[in-house]
Amino acid sequence: MLIDLIPVIEIGYNNQELTAPDKFPYWEHPEIWNAYHQECFRKAGFKDKLTPYLKGFPFYKLSEITDNNLTKLIIDHTQEMRDGKYERQQSATFFGGYVLNIDGQDKYFPQCCGGLSDIMYWDRLSMLQNTYYEGHPSPQIKFDGDNIVFDFSVDEFDEPFQPTPQEITLSIDRHKLRKTVEKVKIALQYFEKRLDKINDVEKLNIQNIGGLLIWND
């Protein structure tokens, strides 16, 4: 079993006075939603094209976001904090999180209100520790020896997972997840250096910008 966690940022910008598609869910109508997102980004002023993790999805791989686009994301995400409209402790990391990919197949996507700081959720799971996931809905977790068992079942009136996981239960080896988490942390440290550079070039004067936008500290 090959386990991968793919860091992604959720990028919206759906407030550009454009009529949103009326075809749902978005993952079943990827061409329509992809065109809508691209037009939103164009009107919002992104300099470079943003290519989604999957067509129509709102998630974008960290490694594929250009410095031009990352600069805009940082400035927009922190604008109100830098303007003094709220305090740092009221700020959120970049929204998104981690796509759980097993043997080349995407099994679980970040849910509503997930963020890059969720790497600590995966970190604690890899050590067989009960932990809280900031996003919602969240899977039920059980430990079976060295295996982590995810239960994606929901009751009739519960909030559904988006997209719906193909399997109700999923079991992964905690040692393999541990290696993956460590690899992702290295990628996040590289991403943090990109944040530091943009912070300096743009003279944003954000103290510990990596802590703000990645680690939630």
Side-chain angles (χ1 to χ4, degrees):
M1 176 184 287
L2 180 62
I3 299 174
D4 199 5
L5 286 175
I6 302 164
V8 293
I9 293 178
E10 182 176 1
I11 304 177
Y13 289 84
N14 297 338
N15 56 342
Q16 305 302 313
E17 299 181 353
L18 294 171
T19 301
D22 58 1
K23 302 290 186 181
F24 299 96
Y26 65 81
W27 57 89
E28 292 184 1
H29 304 276
E31 296 290 347
I32 295 173
W33 281 95
N34 194 67
Y36 170 68
H37 291 151
Q38 293 304 319
E39 183 61 14
C40 286
F41 297 148
R42 187 191 67 79
K43 289 198 69 174
F46 281 91
K47 292 184 178 181
D48 303 323
K49 183 178 179 180
L50 283 157
T51 301
Y53 177 73
L54 293 174
K55 187 170 288 188
F57 279 57
F59 302 118
Y60 299 79
K61 292 175 67 173
L62 269 59
S63 59
E64 295 183 1
I65 299 174
T66 67
D67 284 349
N68 284 332
N69 287 344
L70 182 56
T71 297
K72 177 172 175 58
L73 288 171
I74 294 170
I75 290 173
D76 290 352
H77 190 87
T78 65
Q79 188 68 60
E80 291 187 343
M81 183 197 74
R82 290 182 290 108
D83 289 344
K85 293 183 179 179
Y86 56 79
E87 299 297 324
R88 179 189 176 102
Q89 58 266 30
Q90 297 172 294
S91 300
T93 64
F94 274 137
F95 298 113
Y98 303 86
V99 179
L100 175 62
N101 183 285
I102 297 177
D103 294 331
Q105 295 185 344
D106 298 322
K107 298 295 186 179
Y108 176 48
F109 287 84
Q111 300 298 300
C112 182
C113 299
L116 290 184
S117 61
D118 291 333
I119 189 58
M120 303 314 299
Y121 167 81
W122 295 100
D123 183 73
R124 288 188 287 268
L125 282 183
S126 73
M127 295 186 286
L128 301 183
Q129 296 178 4
N130 286 315
T131 186
Y132 175 74
Y133 175 54
E134 292 287 347
H136 57 87
S138 61
Q140 301 174 56
I141 301 293
K142 294 180 180 178
F143 302 121
D144 181 14
D146 280 335
N147 291 322
I148 305 160
V149 182
F150 297 78
D151 184 343
F152 299 108
S153 60
V154 294
D155 292 332
E156 182 179 0
F157 298 106
D158 285 347
E159 182 180 9
F161 288 92
Q162 296 190 11
T164 306
Q166 296 178 351
E167 303 163 71
I168 296 299
T169 60
L170 182 66
S171 179
I172 62 175
D173 180 84
R174 74 105 167 177
H175 297 289
K176 292 181 179 179
L177 178 61
R178 186 73 201 158
K179 291 180 180 178
T180 298
V181 167
E182 293 303 321
K183 182 179 72 173
V184 172
K185 285 182 179 179
I186 293 172
L188 291 176
Q189 290 166 1
Y190 174 75
F191 184 67
E192 185 171 11
K193 291 180 180 179
R194 293 180 64 195
L195 300 182
D196 286 334
K197 181 177 179 180
I198 292 171
N199 189 34
D200 291 341
V201 170
E202 298 295 325
K203 296 180 172 54
L204 299 176
N205 300 316
I206 299 174
Q207 185 177 6
N208 186 16
I209 189 172
L212 177 71
L213 297 179
I214 302 175
W215 311 106
N216 194 29
D217 58 40

